[in-house]
């Protein structure tokens, strides 16, 4: 069982845009919560997934992110830790999932 449960805070930014702020561990025990949250989204929503508060993300967590990508109109990941970035790179998912880095925010902000 996961040491830290996952909390998902959904914030509707405007029509068609949602921010999901995840806090805790995204793993085998908690990934179904993210999958359920993804199912509640509208297919045309653009979802910003804030992973700043995620401590651990395993293969089940990566799978849940892919399910979310299929459920939503588009997703962007932000707050990706160096460890998670390495996992995304090694699995090839970095090419499939849009990742917004802090540098991207400064350039547009």
């Amino acid at each position: 069982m996961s040491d830290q449960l996952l909390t998902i805070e959904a914030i509707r930014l405007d029509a068609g845009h949602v921010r999901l702020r995840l806090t805790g561990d995204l793993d085998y025990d908690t990934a179904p919560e993210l999958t359920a949250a993804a199912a509640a989204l509208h297919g045309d929503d653009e979802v910003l997934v804030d992973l700043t508060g995620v401590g651990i993300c395993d293969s089940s967590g990566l799978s849940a992110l892919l399910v979310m990508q299929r459920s939503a109109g588009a997703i962007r990941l932000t707050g990706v830790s160096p460890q998670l970035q390495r996992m995304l790179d090694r699995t090839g998912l970095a090419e499939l999932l849009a990742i917004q880095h802090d540098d991207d925010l400064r350039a547009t902000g």
Side-chain angles (χ1 to χ4, degrees), residues 10-43:
I11 304 163
R12 171 112 3 227
L13 302 173
D14 56 38
H17 294 86
V18 177
R19 175 188 301 244
L20 294 182
R21 183 173 294 140
L22 281 56
T23 305
D25 292 342
L26 183 53
D27 59 14
Y28 178 81
D29 293 320
T30 61
E33 296 174 43
L34 184 57
T35 303
L41 298 172
H42 299 286

Side-chain angles (χ1 to χ4, degrees), residues 93-108:
L93 294 178
E95 297 177 20
L96 296 175
L97 299 171
I99 302 169
Q100 181 174 310
H101 298 281
D102 290 340
D103 294 343
D104 298 339
L105 292 173
R106 285 192 285 275
T108 59

